[in-house]
Amino acid sequence: MIWNTNLRWRLPVVCLLLEVALIALFGVFVRYDVDADPHWVEEKVIRNLSTDMENEFYYRYPSFQDVHVMIFVGFGFLMTFLQRYGYSSVGFNFLLAAFGIQWALLMQGWLHSFDGRYILVNVENLINADFCVGSVCVAFGAVLGKVSPVQLLIMTLFQVTLFSMNEYILLNLLEVKDSGGSMTIHAFGAYFGLTVAWILYRPNLHHSKERESSTYHSDLFAMIGTLFLWMYWPSFNSAISNHGDAQHRAAINTYCSLAACVLTSVALSSALHGKGKLDMVHIQNATLAGGVGLGTVAELMILPFGSLIVGFICGIVSTLGFVYLTPFLESRLRIQDTCGVHNLHGIPGIIGGIAGAVTASIANIDLYGEEGLAYAFGIERSKLNWSPNMQGRFQAAGLFVSLATALVGGIIVGVILRLPFWGQAPDENCFEDAVYWEIPKEPKSTACIEDSSLKPQEP
Amino acid sequence: MIWNTNLRWRLPVVCLLLEVALIALFGVFVRYDVDADPHWVEEKVIRNLSTDMENEFYYRYPSFQDVHVMIFVGFGFLMTFLQRYGYSSVGFNFLLAAFGIQWALLMQGWLHSFDGRYILVNVENLINADFCVGSVCVAFGAVLGKVSPVQLLIMTLFQVTLFSMNEYILLNLLEVKDSGGSMTIHAFGAYFGLTVAWILYRPNLHHSKERESSTYHSDLFAMIGTLFLWMYWPSFNSAISNHGDAQHRAAINTYCSLAACVLTSVALSSALHGKGKLDMVHIQNATLAGGVGLGTVAELMILPFGSLIVGFICGIVSTLGFVYLTPFLESRLRIQDTCGVHNLHGIPGIIGGIAGAVTASIANIDLYGEEGLAYAFGIERSKLNWSPNMQGRFQAAGLFVSLATALVGGIIVGVILRLPFWGQAPDENCFEDAVYWEIPKEPKSTACIEDSSLKPQEP
Amino acid sequence: MIWNTNLRWRLPVVCLLLEVALIALFGVFVRYDVDADPHWVEEKVIRNLSTDMENEFYYRYPSFQDVHVMIFVGFGFLMTFLQRYGYSSVGFNFLLAAFGIQWALLMQGWLHSFDGRYILVNVENLINADFCVGSVCVAFGAVLGKVSPVQLLIMTLFQVTLFSMNEYILLNLLEVKDSGGSMTIHAFGAYFGLTVAWILYRPNLHHSKERESSTYHSDLFAMIGTLFLWMYWPSFNSAISNHGDAQHRAAINTYCSLAACVLTSVALSSALHGKGKLDMVHIQNATLAGGVGLGTVAELMILPFGSLIVGFICGIVSTLGFVYLTPFLESRLRIQDTCGVHNLHGIPGIIGGIAGAVTASIANIDLYGEEGLAYAFGIERSKLNWSPNMQGRFQAAGLFVSLATALVGGIIVGVILRLPFWGQAPDENCFEDAVYWEIPKEPKSTACIEDSSLKPQEP
């Protein structure tokens, strides 16, 4: 096989073509929602609003910025743990996310914000575009170090498309609750990525093994990613919840779940090591599983102790996954999951989907109040024969649909990415920035320059 | 003495037991406040609110997220300055804070948000829990590198308990103002930690001295912590102030104080060095003292120039402390203060408490307006015979109570932590991640991989 | 020439004198705006406000914090790419910004928020002070590594003064729109800095060339700066826009422009490299040009596809600038532009100014609605004979005024900074932290400490 990793024309052409196409489509389709349009002055009169504070911007912009940080710094730096792949982790994540959010604005816009002629965008569209790209970042974790940026752009193009369709089926047809995306973002992203990694199996990857580990400082860079994901996850799970109590509750629940998850991740990490030592991989990843697990249920009445239980379980399962499941996936199923997304997003996403189905099916008027229940599940809108039990079953159906879409989509996209002309590196050169990046020469000596080496100063 | 640092069973058992206990207590006691409960829809009718914007969430959530970043990234990375203790600084801070916020939700809940049957939590509880843990992070700075994670969890358990009781005495019994916690968080945390460090004195710590310093890159990691603390401190000091002008004023004052503090820290750092060079320790720490010093007074009418003066003094005193006081504490008082918390949180916390007493005692109607004065000090509620002078004296009393609680509590907790079976390391192995962490092998060569080392590409 | 870089008395004296002067001026002039004053309770009655939510604090504080992060972490870390200048990049940026915001509060206050007796500050003043300092950070990029902290403080003193006067001419006399500062912040800051760098030309800088490059980890630190700038730029461009739709629109437009800019930066970076490899310098800088280019136009009706086009162009022009223009400036015009601010802030700032003039000149009632147009351009206030065409011409005039002020001011300040007693380093010692910082000794071995090196544990 010919490995030509020189992307001189392929990468520029793909980037420029995609961007030109995006500009054309934006020109035809994308306009401002009334909350972001100068006609807002008139809208306030129509809706009898006395204050600009009612603009959607003020309800959601702080959460949007937190989510934005998660996508670019959170996911980007989380993946810098590899010793020689920091540029690519941060840089390719930056590239695919920047492309993905534009394409997601269009895809999700056509399906959710289309007024017949235009896609009307406001801050909620920005959040949803970031969410959609979040699922691509998850999938990126599974193929990290083994694909070229051209392959990543193609994967993003397809995955955003599939994500939007799957999301449409879940939210609009099945009318499922999934505000933090346990199913649509995490489970979908993880199993999509794992399927792609399975198709792209590299039999000789052991030649790159010495680079598939961390160094002391690369692990600290990764902790920047971990902490920003962990801290802002309450914003992630509450960003598009209903105004008022739902957003508020989603933040509290996620905060609780994540805190519990840290303790069980640490406990298992120590218990599973021969000398009781902690493993950075678990601290960087498993501690976040509690956020994934709350993605469906955060805005529902799971109660704080319910959130703690979900976090408790996710931390344990995720750490166990890193120790036992990842090696098994690689040796038996030929799935090389670089970042262990199966443990951080896959299983916790499924747990989250199940928790959502259970919590929805036990919803009742005692817990929510009559109006509260109607508002939380949007019942007054359409669903005359709604029952909690039915909602629970639709939630479960949503999980299966997401998994099926991920598997089928992942196979198709994986086969496309196997084509030999996307600039991928040979197995020997995986996990190596020098393939696609100009790397600075290391200075001759890393020793500090002593005063004596400075030019003597005249008195 | 037997030094068994293998935590294989001790750490997991402690983590899991604590978490199970927390889940049980949350199940019995913790519910949502009405702002986070589906009954919010009905509450809006009762309180005649026309908009969800009046939900406490929108008043406090952006500040909460800033505080959250300070606790986890701010304190965590601030302590990564040690060359071989980065994993532990970030990781143990993560662990103790994640446990601490849960326990603080309960302790503070029982004392402040208990309706007789349930603790009702909203975003303000989350902020207060983060605040409480902030004081544990301060104390962690005093014992950094010398304690095991099991000791830290035990210290957190006790310190959160003591913090909540001390806070109750100050805020509810003495009715003291301390919205940014100069007294309750910083002075309490620092003197508690210093007392613990005093009890845990390690006579042979000089064997670890070569690791008790920074490297070039570890100092840059620490600057991430410094800057996030510095930037978000206005949110810290305003997060739980009254709605409206008090939050607004607290942010402005803190912004001013911190800016002034940077200039005096730099000035003193240069003046105290033989060749006029700056010391990273001062830039990382003393620049923050202006935030600590404003913790009591930020929301009061100290005026912007008053804030500058507090920042001016704190920067000078704190830098002097690093140069003269820390060595003195170690050599004479046998207090080994790893991070110099005495200079960053101890003295500035006392300065803040004093500034609060002075500013409160000169409050008057000219400055505040009649209604403004009543609102700022909550006078209409209970205090018929309230006078600024009296408030000032109660403020001073609050400071003494905090210091006394810290000393007594620190001695008790220190004695408990001296017990030999908590997995602490011998003096020779302090400040060393390898004791409790699986450390990656450094790559054979750190030199960059040149193109020539990549597998040749076929044409 | 005598190179005395010992700042022992010069730096402390300058810092302390400046701070004392600031305190005196604050004492005389600075008070709280009514939104931050206890009289807010009464103001609410006067303005018939039913809620504290109408306090300016809640409209702008989240954006303020984002801008604050951009100034201190964003600019600070962006400049850490140099291998031996990380302390200075972050530390001097911290110092100059902390001084600059105080001086800007005064200068901008006298010109914009002076009620005849006092400068009344609220959160908007804090944002504007950060903006003003942003332009100093830009100029700092041009002289990075070649000036002493004393020189930086003097430059800040003058540049903040000039910035405020230029801003006053543009916003108050020419009544120009420039909410994100393409002209006032970026073009002004860049050309001011470039002019200073031109005056301070160092003919023997090639002796420091081996330090004027990055290392692997210094590039990752720089990406922290890049990403926080990139992510929070929507807040930057919308922070002081009108409430409601204008803030909302500015955020959406900037988000779009920045996303497009990443794709064209990557495309050009790869296309201009012999082997199609990406260059970190472009990813760190050119990706941000889309935010600069939107600085004038973000709140106007450029439409999302217009934003994409601006981002598209800025990414291309900026990357081309790094490859072709920076070497040309150095070799022909003797302008040594360390960070390439000409490519990131200079040209994109001009593009932004032009885009603003064009967009303003085609404003019409169809796009904005009658009320919307009046509100967007503040027409009802003063301008009876206002026309879009005229607005466009004033916008263009504003750009020229900014450039002229930058050039003239830069020459004057450059000449002052050339004086030989400010502690600047010789050409051989540029880009070197050890000149002004106490540098830690590197540990003997960077190899990790194996278990075997830990003190053996007794069983």
Side-chain angles (χ1 to χ4, degrees):
Chain A
M1 194 166 174
I2 295 166
W3 302 104
N4 181 355
T5 59
N6 184 329
L7 302 178
R8 183 151 190 194
W9 298 114
R10 281 172 286 183
L11 182 58
V13 165
V14 170
C15 285
L16 294 176
L17 278 185
L18 288 172
E19 192 56 51
V20 168
L22 288 166
I23 291 175
L25 290 167
F26 267 63
V28 175
F29 287 110
V30 181
R31 296 296 180 272
Y32 305 111
D33 182 50
V34 71
D35 284 49
D37 190 278
H39 293 86
W40 166 252
V41 194
E42 296 154 28
E43 176 76 5
K44 280 197 291 181
V45 178
I46 296 169
R47 279 165 55 193
N48 197 23
L49 301 173
S50 60
T51 162
D52 285 317
M53 253 306 156
E54 288 297 309
N55 194 299
E56 194 71 7
F57 182 77
Y58 301 103
Y59 282 100
R60 307 225 183 259
Y61 190 71
S63 307
F64 158 66
Q65 276 294 8
D66 295 349
V67 171
H68 216 40
V69 171
M70 292 174 73
I71 300 298
F72 289 88
V73 160
F75 281 108
F77 273 91
L78 182 63
M79 295 189 275
T80 57
F81 72 98
L82 291 173
Q83 55 181 267
R84 295 293 307 167
Y85 211 62
Y87 290 10
S88 303
S89 298
V90 170
F92 294 165
N93 185 70
F94 194 15
L95 173 64
L96 74 84
F99 163 60
I101 54 179
Q102 297 176 71
W103 178 230
L105 279 177
L106 287 167
M107 276 305 303
Q108 296 179 316
W110 283 317
L111 294 169
H112 297 287
S113 315
F114 196 59
D115 76 346
R117 186 163 166 212
Y118 293 127
I119 295 165
L120 301 179
V121 299
N122 68 18
V123 64
E124 203 171 331
N125 298 66
L126 307 190
I127 297 170
N128 277 315
D130 273 21
F131 276 4
C132 175
V133 162
S135 94
V136 184
C137 298
V138 169
F140 180 30
V143 298
L144 187 77
K146 298 170 294 189
V147 292
S148 76
V150 174
Q151 284 177 302
L152 286 172
L153 287 170
I154 293 165
M155 186 178 91
T156 306
L157 179 71
F158 283 103
Q159 194 182 346
V160 166
T161 311
L162 284 163
F163 175 97
S164 306
M165 285 160 41
N166 181 57
E167 185 191 43
Y168 180 78
I169 295 170
L170 264 68
L171 304 190
N172 295 54
L173 304 186
L174 300 177
E175 300 194 46
V176 148
K177 306 298 286 183
D178 194 32
S179 69
S182 286
M183 300 182 284
T184 52
I185 300 169
H186 299 290
F188 173 79
Y191 288 100
F192 181 90
L194 291 167
T195 311
V196 171
W198 176 60
I199 304 274
L200 297 183
Y201 180 70
R202 286 171 172 274
N204 299 311
L205 199 57
H206 52 90
H207 287 138
S208 293
K209 271 293 167 201
E210 85 278 11
R211 282 193 303 271
E212 203 186 354
S213 61
S214 63
T215 62
Y216 193 68
H217 278 164
S218 73
D219 267 332
L220 282 177
F221 279 113
M223 280 305 289
I224 298 173
T226 297
L227 287 175
F228 276 101
L229 287 169
W230 193 90
M231 295 179 304
Y232 285 155
W233 216 297
S235 297
F236 193 93
N237 282 349
S238 66
I240 55 162
S241 292
N242 284 335
H243 294 172
D245 61 288
Q247 263 193 294
H248 201 153
R249 190 163 57 245
I252 293 172
N253 286 334
T254 310
Y255 176 96
C256 290
S257 172
L258 285 162
C261 188
V262 174
L263 270 86
T264 53
S265 300
V266 168
L268 271 279
S269 183
S270 173
L272 296 173
H273 185 283
K275 295 180 177 173
K277 293 190 182 187
L278 298 170
D279 188 328
M280 261 299 187
V281 172
H282 308 150
I283 308 305
Q284 282 159 11
N285 292 280
T287 52
L288 301 168
V292 175
L294 259 264
T296 299
V297 90
E299 63 179 14
L300 302 180
M301 284 294 281
I302 190 173
L303 297 189
F305 85 96
S307 306
L308 292 183
I309 292 173
V310 173
F312 189 93
I313 295 169
C314 285
I316 290 174
V317 171
S318 185
T319 312
L320 286 171
F322 276 100
V323 176
Y324 297 114
L325 211 52
T326 302
F328 173 83
L329 286 183
E330 174 150 8
S331 60
R332 299 301 168 88
L333 301 186
R334 300 164 65 101
I335 299 175
Q336 293 156 327
D337 180 6
T338 314
C339 292
V341 302
H342 189 236
N343 314 306
L344 170 47
H345 302 277
I347 312 178
I350 291 177
I351 293 174
I354 295 169
V358 172
T359 311
S361 68
I362 59 170
N364 59 61
I365 289 179
D366 279 358
L367 264 175
Y368 287 80
E370 196 160 344
E371 278 189 273
L373 190 67
Y375 186 55
F377 290 95
I379 300 172
E380 71 286 2
R381 273 185 281 164
S382 59
K383 310 173 209 170
L384 288 174
N385 55 351
W386 183 88
S387 78
N389 204 332
M390 200 182 72
Q391 179 77 29
R393 269 181 268 166
F394 275 99
Q395 296 283 139
L399 180 57
F400 283 106
V401 171
S402 293
L403 295 177
T405 316
L407 285 169
V408 175
I411 290 171
I412 296 168
V413 174
V415 169
I416 294 170
L417 297 185
R418 266 186 88 99
L419 297 174
F421 43 78
W422 303 125
Q424 50 270 64
D427 294 5
E428 294 77 15
N429 294 350
C430 284
F431 313 117
E432 173 55 54
D433 276 337
V435 177
Y436 302 114
W437 295 84
E438 183 68 31
I439 303 280
K441 301 220 188 309
E442 290 298 305
K444 297 244 164 53
S445 156
T446 57
C448 92
I449 291 168
E450 297 298 318
D451 278 6
S452 55
S453 80
L454 294 176
K455 196 193 164 192
Q457 295 163 8
E458 299 166 44
Chain B
M1 192 165 174
I2 293 167
W3 300 105
N4 181 356
T5 59
N6 183 330
L7 302 177
R8 182 150 191 196
W9 298 115
R10 282 172 286 183
L11 182 58
V13 165
V14 170
C15 285
L16 293 175
L17 277 185
L18 288 173
E19 192 57 49
V20 168
L22 288 167
I23 290 175
L25 289 166
F26 267 64
V28 176
F29 286 108
V30 181
R31 295 296 180 271
Y32 304 112
D33 181 52
V34 69
D35 284 47
D37 190 279
H39 293 84
W40 167 250
V41 195
E42 295 154 28
E43 176 76 4
K44 280 196 294 181
V45 178
I46 296 168
R47 280 166 55 194
N48 197 23
L49 301 173
S50 61
T51 161
D52 286 316
M53 252 305 155
E54 287 298 309
N55 194 299
E56 194 70 9
F57 182 77
Y58 300 103
Y59 282 100
R60 307 225 182 260
Y61 190 71
S63 306
F64 157 66
Q65 276 293 5
D66 295 350
V67 171
H68 214 41
V69 171
M70 292 174 73
I71 300 300
F72 289 88
V73 160
F75 282 108
F77 273 92
L78 182 63
M79 296 187 276
T80 57
F81 73 99
L82 291 173
Q83 55 182 269
R84 296 294 308 168
Y85 211 63
Y87 289 10
S88 303
S89 299
V90 170
F92 294 166
N93 186 70
F94 194 16
L95 173 64
L96 75 84
F99 164 61
I101 54 180
Q102 298 175 71
W103 178 229
L105 279 177
L106 287 166
M107 276 305 303
Q108 295 180 316
W110 284 317
L111 293 168
H112 297 287
S113 315
F114 196 58
D115 76 346
R117 184 162 166 213
Y118 292 127
I119 295 165
L120 301 180
V121 298
N122 68 19
V123 64
E124 204 173 331
N125 298 65
L126 306 191
I127 297 171
N128 277 315
D130 273 21
F131 276 4
C132 174
V133 162
S135 96
V136 184
C137 298
V138 169
F140 180 31
V143 297
L144 187 76
K146 299 170 292 190
V147 291
S148 75
V150 174
Q151 284 176 304
L152 286 173
L153 287 170
I154 293 164
M155 186 178 92
T156 306
L157 179 70
F158 283 103
Q159 194 182 345
V160 166
T161 311
L162 284 162
F163 175 97
S164 306
M165 285 160 43
N166 182 57
E167 185 191 42
Y168 180 78
I169 295 170
L170 264 69
L171 303 191
N172 294 53
L173 304 186
L174 301 175
E175 301 195 47
V176 147
K177 305 297 289 182
D178 195 32
S179 68
S182 286
M183 301 182 284
T184 51
I185 300 169
H186 299 291
F188 173 79
Y191 288 99
F192 180 91
L194 290 166
T195 311
V196 172
W198 177 59
I199 305 275
L200 297 184
Y201 180 69
R202 285 169 172 275
N204 299 311
L205 199 58
H206 52 88
H207 288 139
S208 293
K209 271 293 169 201
E210 85 279 8
R211 282 192 303 270
E212 202 186 354
S213 62
S214 63
T215 62
Y216 193 70
H217 278 164
S218 73
D219 268 332
L220 282 178
F221 280 113
M223 280 304 289
I224 298 173
T226 297
L227 287 176
F228 276 100
L229 286 169
W230 193 90
M231 297 179 302
Y232 286 155
W233 216 296
S235 298
F236 192 93
N237 282 349
S238 66
I240 56 162
S241 293
N242 284 336
H243 293 172
D245 63 287
Q247 263 193 295
H248 200 154
R249 190 164 57 248
I252 293 173
N253 286 333
T254 310
Y255 175 95
C256 289
S257 172
L258 285 162
C261 187
V262 174
L263 269 86
T264 53
S265 301
V266 168
L268 271 279
S269 182
S270 173
L272 296 173
H273 185 283
K275 296 182 177 172
K277 294 190 182 187
L278 299 170
D279 189 328
M280 260 303 188
V281 172
H282 309 151
I283 309 305
Q284 282 159 10
N285 292 279
T287 52
L288 300 169
V292 175
L294 259 264
T296 300
V297 91
E299 63 180 15
L300 302 180
M301 282 297 281
I302 189 174
L303 297 190
F305 84 97
S307 306
L308 292 184
I309 292 172
V310 173
F312 188 93
I313 295 169
C314 286
I316 290 174
V317 171
S318 184
T319 312
L320 286 171
F322 277 100
V323 176
Y324 298 114
L325 211 52
T326 302
F328 172 84
L329 286 184
E330 174 148 7
S331 60
R332 298 301 167 88
L333 303 186
R334 301 163 65 99
I335 299 175
Q336 294 156 327
D337 180 5
T338 313
C339 291
V341 302
H342 189 235
N343 314 305
L344 170 47
H345 302 278
I347 312 177
I350 291 177
I351 293 174
I354 295 168
V358 172
T359 311
S361 67
I362 60 170
N364 60 61
I365 289 180
D366 279 358
L367 265 175
Y368 287 80
E370 196 158 343
E371 278 189 274
L373 190 67
Y375 186 55
F377 291 95
I379 301 172
E380 71 284 3
R381 273 184 280 164
S382 58
K383 310 171 210 170
L384 286 175
N385 55 352
W386 182 89
S387 79
N389 204 334
M390 200 181 72
Q391 178 77 29
R393 270 181 267 165
F394 276 98
Q395 295 283 140
L399 181 57
F400 284 106
V401 171
S402 295
L403 296 177
T405 316
L407 285 168
V408 175
I411 289 171
I412 297 167
V413 174
V415 169
I416 294 170
L417 296 186
R418 267 186 87 98
L419 297 175
F421 43 77
W422 302 125
Q424 50 269 64
D427 293 5
E428 295 76 16
N429 294 350
C430 284
F431 313 118
E432 173 54 55
D433 275 337
V435 177
Y436 302 115
W437 296 84
E438 181 68 29
I439 303 281
K441 301 217 189 312
E442 289 299 304
K444 297 244 164 55
S445 156
T446 58
C448 90
I449 291 167
E450 296 299 316
D451 280 6
S452 54
S453 81
L454 295 176
K455 195 195 165 190
Q457 295 162 8
E458 298 166 44
Chain C
M1 194 167 176
I2 294 166
W3 300 105
N4 181 356
T5 59
N6 184 328
L7 302 178
R8 182 148 190 198
W9 298 115
R10 283 173 285 183
L11 183 58
V13 166
V14 170
C15 284
L16 294 175
L17 277 185
L18 287 173
E19 192 56 50
V20 169
L22 287 167
I23 291 174
L25 290 167
F26 267 64
V28 176
F29 287 110
V30 181
R31 295 296 179 275
Y32 304 112
D33 182 51
V34 69
D35 285 48
D37 190 278
H39 293 86
W40 166 251
V41 194
E42 296 154 27
E43 176 76 5
K44 280 197 292 180
V45 178
I46 296 169
R47 281 165 55 193
N48 197 24
L49 300 174
S50 60
T51 161
D52 286 316
M53 252 305 156
E54 287 298 307
N55 194 299
E56 195 69 9
F57 182 77
Y58 301 103
Y59 281 101
R60 307 225 183 261
Y61 190 72
S63 306
F64 158 67
Q65 276 294 7
D66 295 349
V67 172
H68 215 41
V69 171
M70 291 174 73
I71 300 299
F72 290 88
V73 159
F75 281 109
F77 273 91
L78 183 62
M79 296 188 276
T80 57
F81 73 99
L82 290 173
Q83 54 182 269
R84 296 292 309 166
Y85 210 63
Y87 288 12
S88 304
S89 299
V90 170
F92 294 166
N93 185 71
F94 194 16
L95 173 63
L96 74 85
F99 164 61
I101 54 180
Q102 297 176 73
W103 179 229
L105 279 177
L106 287 166
M107 277 304 304
Q108 295 180 316
W110 285 316
L111 294 168
H112 297 287
S113 315
F114 196 59
D115 75 347
R117 187 166 165 211
Y118 292 128
I119 295 164
L120 302 179
V121 298
N122 67 20
V123 64
E124 204 172 330
N125 298 66
L126 307 189
I127 297 170
N128 277 315
D130 273 22
F131 276 3
C132 175
V133 161
S135 95
V136 185
C137 298
V138 169
F140 180 31
V143 299
L144 187 77
K146 299 170 294 190
V147 291
S148 76
V150 175
Q151 284 177 303
L152 286 173
L153 287 170
I154 293 164
M155 186 178 90
T156 306
L157 180 70
F158 284 104
Q159 194 181 346
V160 166
T161 311
L162 284 162
F163 175 96
S164 305
M165 284 160 41
N166 181 57
E167 185 191 43
Y168 180 78
I169 296 170
L170 264 69
L171 303 191
N172 294 53
L173 304 186
L174 300 175
E175 301 196 45
V176 147
K177 305 298 286 183
D178 194 32
S179 67
S182 286
M183 300 182 284
T184 52
I185 300 168
H186 299 289
F188 172 79
Y191 288 100
F192 180 91
L194 291 166
T195 312
V196 171
W198 175 61
I199 306 275
L200 298 182
Y201 179 70
R202 287 172 172 272
N204 299 311
L205 199 57
H206 52 90
H207 287 139
S208 293
K209 271 294 168 200
E210 83 280 8
R211 282 193 302 272
E212 202 187 352
S213 61
S214 63
T215 61
Y216 194 69
H217 279 164
S218 73
D219 267 332
L220 282 178
F221 280 113
M223 280 306 289
I224 298 173
T226 297
L227 288 176
F228 275 100
L229 287 169
W230 194 91
M231 296 180 303
Y232 285 155
W233 216 296
S235 298
F236 192 93
N237 283 349
S238 67
I240 56 161
S241 293
N242 284 335
H243 294 172
D245 62 288
Q247 265 193 295
H248 201 154
R249 190 164 55 249
I252 294 172
N253 286 334
T254 310
Y255 175 96
C256 290
S257 172
L258 285 162
C261 188
V262 174
L263 270 84
T264 53
S265 300
V266 168
L268 270 280
S269 182
S270 172
L272 296 173
H273 185 284
K275 295 180 178 173
K277 293 189 182 187
L278 298 170
D279 188 328
M280 260 300 187
V281 172
H282 309 150
I283 308 304
Q284 282 159 10
N285 292 280
T287 52
L288 300 169
V292 175
L294 259 263
T296 301
V297 90
E299 63 180 15
L300 302 180
M301 282 296 281
I302 190 174
L303 298 189
F305 84 98
S307 306
L308 292 184
I309 292 172
V310 173
F312 188 93
I313 294 169
C314 285
I316 290 173
V317 171
S318 185
T319 312
L320 286 170
F322 276 100
V323 176
Y324 298 114
L325 212 51
T326 302
F328 173 84
L329 287 182
E330 174 149 9
S331 60
R332 300 300 169 89
L333 302 185
R334 300 163 63 99
I335 300 174
Q336 293 156 327
D337 180 6
T338 314
C339 293
V341 302
H342 189 235
N343 314 305
L344 171 46
H345 301 277
I347 312 179
I350 292 178
I351 293 174
I354 295 170
V358 172
T359 311
S361 68
I362 59 170
N364 60 61
I365 290 180
D366 280 359
L367 265 175
Y368 288 80
E370 197 159 341
E371 278 190 274
L373 190 67
Y375 186 57
F377 291 95
I379 301 172
E380 70 287 1
R381 275 183 280 163
S382 59
K383 308 171 211 172
L384 287 174
N385 55 352
W386 182 90
S387 78
N389 204 333
M390 203 182 69
Q391 178 76 30
R393 269 181 268 166
F394 275 98
Q395 295 283 141
L399 180 58
F400 284 106
V401 171
S402 294
L403 295 177
T405 316
L407 285 168
V408 175
I411 289 171
I412 297 167
V413 174
V415 168
I416 295 170
L417 297 186
R418 267 186 88 98
L419 297 174
F421 43 77
W422 302 127
Q424 50 270 64
D427 294 5
E428 294 75 17
N429 293 351
C430 285
F431 312 117
E432 173 55 56
D433 275 337
V435 177
Y436 302 114
W437 296 85
E438 182 68 31
I439 304 279
K441 299 218 190 315
E442 290 298 306
K444 298 242 167 52
S445 156
T446 57
C448 91
I449 291 166
E450 296 299 316
D451 279 6
S452 54
S453 80
L454 295 175
K455 196 194 165 190
Q457 294 163 7
E458 298 168 45

